Amino acid sequence: MQAVSPTTAGVAFVARPGRPTLVTGTLTELRGPTRGVVELPVRLMWCADRAFDLADHDQLLWMYENVLRETTNVDDLRSLVDGRILRRVWRQLNLPRGVRLAWETRHRSLRSA
């Protein structure tokens, strides 16, 4: 697990104010589901409808955006995000700048994904 530390400019990569972005050490450790319906825990999604059908591309993107932005636990990343899928959809994700920069800094392959 790695919470990306401050950059040389002294500004941390944050998912939102007060929340550092968590990034895994490798993309291969991301072994989340690749099909079916996934229900996010309340700590990651506060609305009543927290179920995402991974066969629906828009729902998959929405789920990944929420997990990458809201998690404070690297186990969430490992169990909910799949590394191959993340690489495939990376450019389509609507992420805060800090989240995108943190992941691309640690996983340079995402820059060209």
Side-chain angles (χ1 to χ4, degrees), residues 32-89:
T34 59
R35 64 183 91 153
V37 176
V38 176
E39 185 168 341
L40 293 181
V42 173
R43 69 180 179 281
L44 297 177
M45 186 79 170
W46 304 285
C47 65
D49 186 13
R50 299 183 318 271
F52 297 86
D53 182 351
L54 300 183
D56 182 310
H57 187 70
D58 291 334
Q59 287 186 35
L60 173 97
L61 294 176
W62 181 232
M63 185 187 101
Y64 274 38
E65 290 163 358
N66 277 281
V67 172
L68 294 172
R69 183 181 61 245
E70 299 300 332
T71 191
T72 59
N73 181 337
V74 74
D75 289 333
D76 288 337
L77 294 171
R78 291 180 181 134
S79 65
L80 294 169
V81 176
D82 179 79
R84 282 179 271 173
I85 292 174
L86 179 64
R87 188 171 162 71
R88 189 181 75 229
V89 301

